[in-house]
Amino acid sequence: MKYLHLIWAALFRRKTRTILTLVSIVAAFLLFGLLDAVRVSFAEAGQSANGAERLQTGAKLSFIQPLPQSLMTRIATIDGVKEVAHANWFGGAYQDPHNQIFTFAVSDNYLDIYPEVSVDAGEMKAYNDDLNGILAGEVLIKKYGWKIGDKIPLQSQIFPNKEGSKNWSFNLRGVMKAKDDKAFQSQMIILHWKNFDETTPYNRGNVGWYISRVKDVNDADRVAKAIDALSANSDHETKTQTEQAATRNWIKQLANIGLIVTSIMGAVFFTLILLTGNTMMQAVRERTSELAVLKTIGFSNGSVLGMVLAESVLLLLLGGVIGLGLVAVISAGLPAMSGGMITTAAVSWKSWVLGVVLALAIGIVIGALPALRAMRLNIVDALAGR
Amino acid sequence: MGTLVEIRNVSKVYERGKQKVEVLRHIDLDIAQGDFLALMGPSGSGKTTLLNLIGGLDSPTQGQISVGGTRIDNLNQGALAKWRASNVGFIFQFYNLLPMLSAQKNVELPLLLTKLGAAQRKKNAAIALQLVGLADRAGHKPTELSGGQQQRVAIARAIVSDPTLLVCDEPTGDLDRQSAEDVLGLLQTLNRQHGKTIVMVTHDPKAAEYASHTLHLDKGTLVEQAAHA
């Protein structure tokens, strides 16, 4: 610790260069934190206490293949199933095709499966009484400034209505309030499956997937197998899995987020090692005579090695902590800034630990070469400028 | 007065590529405790090499060097570093202060190797700076000081851990006449009033006059000894 002022002073010997290097480290760790938050968000999708009670049943072949609605009553009879609902993908865009909103056509008991989502009793009644009614997530309503009773035009990506147009119009009847602002339901719209099924010529008695709530979480595996057994060897074989696994598989079909994040971070940190390593080498080379003076005074080879290594580790730790700190601030402020449309997981302690370990490791890697050079410095040659 | 430095049959050979250069040849020399010795000679005569050997910065190819009864020619790097820390103070031509540290912090550097606490280190450094007449410049960085002042800070750094021996390599080589005289006067005071043994390499005969006697080196051999008043 008594060398800390010496290490700090050496680090900021050339302030501009150190600050620029620090900025590049902060940027790298900011990117790491944000991408890691995205990875964690995807990894944790569907992971909740209630989510563990829910099973999702989709077509085994592909999640876009529909299932017969008649399966619902058969699933409900399976021992261990508390309740079963179904949903179809609608895929609505509001005003502009870029404003995509998760919109599902659902059975009337859909929200019974999701106790973490609440709707005012009056609004729920109004929704149930109006076949063309919809419920929208609280975050979504805030974002677009909708009011109860508004007519909401939505463009389906796939399904035309009776007139053959993909432009649908619905009546906003209520607000879905989720306990967690980041919950999926805060940002989605649900409409009556009956309305959807009767209106579009493309769907005749089919559903996209079933969601079952089990009585006992520990019984979920057996129930899942029993549900799949109902359709075994039929033309609509099913695959039942927990909500979390289903969400993961769905995301995997879109992209391997983990691999993408790891690849990007690998490239970023590799570049960081080259750039910062080069800067450290240059910084130590410039201080050859100063390091020789320290050795002349009596600093041991080990002390000099340790000081140069500590310098690079300190630089990386400083940049890493600032970068991750910024991610924490951004993660906290992003939902408010984006009207709730963009949410990322907060920086977890695991991310902090990983970040600090990465900073330490990179610090040691980039500091090793200049530190060894400083340690092996020949005093006489260095003082003579050789 | 007893002998502080004993040099016996010391030779030093450097290898420059395939070529071997014999810089010092069979040197025998005794330096008494409390002596102020000037080493003179033309460039390449081996003055600095001899000074480096006495200060424990380099090891001889052949021969023995004892300082204060310790054989330093056969010490390993780590032991030599420890020995230097407690026995020798170094003064260079270009001061070699750390530019990012204040005068006070520069002077404190050797004390970081001791067991002294921060407050005691600060106190000792302040005393050393007072001794060289720079107490009021303690907070200044080297770039804020003149050449003469920087060299005096370097002297304070050299004496702060109270070493027996001071080795000075051209301490006035980069200074104007007045600053050089101030620095040499200070060295003389350290020698006469504080009993420091000083070995100084210089090209300047006027600087050598401040020493108690002068040795001349030529082609790696001691050729002449002159005593001063």
Side-chain angles (χ1 to χ4, degrees), chain A residues 66-83:
Chain A
L67 297 171
Q69 206 244 343
S70 57
L71 203 54
M72 185 166 176
T73 46
R74 297 175 67 200
I75 292 174
T77 58
I78 289 172
D79 182 35
V81 172
K82 198 174 179 182
E83 196 150 12

Side-chain angles (χ1 to χ4, degrees), chain A residues 351-364:
Chain A
S351 298
W352 275 103
V353 170
L354 183 62
V356 168
V357 169
L358 267 171
L360 276 171
I362 296 171
I364 290 169

Side-chain angles (χ1 to χ4, degrees), chain A residues 268-304:
Chain A
V268 168
F269 283 128
F270 181 69
T271 312
L272 184 73
I273 286 172
L274 293 183
L275 285 175
T276 319
N278 188 44
T279 308
M280 275 303 293
M281 278 298 280
Q282 199 182 341
V284 169
R285 210 177 294 127
E286 281 173 6
R287 296 207 315 268
T288 301
S289 65
E290 290 164 29
L291 291 166
V293 168
L294 289 179
K295 290 178 88 169
T296 302
I297 287 170
F299 283 73
S300 65
N301 287 341
S303 302
V304 172

Side-chain angles (χ1 to χ4, degrees), chain B residues 86-117:
Chain B
S86 48
N87 292 284
V88 194
F90 293 88
I91 299 158
F92 307 97
Q93 179 178 357
F94 297 110
Y95 335 125
N96 283 341
L97 299 174
L98 269 56
M100 64 282 189
L101 299 181
S102 66
Q104 166 92 26
K105 291 287 181 193
N106 263 291
V107 176
E108 272 186 48
L109 276 177
L111 300 178
L112 291 174
L113 301 167
T114 67
K115 289 178 179 172
L116 295 178

